[in-house]
Amino acid sequence: VIKVFTDADRTYYTVEDVMQNLGIRRAKAYRMIKAVREEMIEAGYLTPEYPVGKIPKRYFDFRCGEKGV
């Protein structure tokens, strides 16, 4: 049995998700992701090896006030 993963199954947001959620352009979305990633790395919540251009959904939602945690 092969499970097909959907966007809802992912635990991270991509730049397209950030653009859509916040209504911003691509360059600003990348800057936002970079800033939040650096914040998480400094706080010890994320390792530098985490894929660039992706941000954990749970923290991003909490940080940006989307859904809260």
Side-chain angles (χ1 to χ4, degrees), residues 14-15 18 29-37 53-55:
T14 63
V15 70
V18 174
Y30 274 120
R31 285 193 303 268
M32 173 80 73
I33 289 172
K34 182 178 180 184
V36 173
R37 285 185 82 245
K54 295 178 174 57
I55 194 73

Side-chain angles (χ1 to χ4, degrees), residues 7 10-19 21 33 50-62 64 66-67:
D7 289 343
R10 291 184 290 138
T11 60
Y12 60 86
Y13 285 133
T14 63
V15 70
E16 287 83 14
D17 298 323
V18 174
M19 289 169 55
N21 288 344
I33 289 172
Y50 194 84
V52 175
K54 295 178 174 57
I55 194 73
K57 282 183 177 182
R58 187 175 171 133
Y59 187 81
F60 189 82
D61 289 344
F62 172 74
C64 294
E66 290 292 313
K67 298 174 187 165

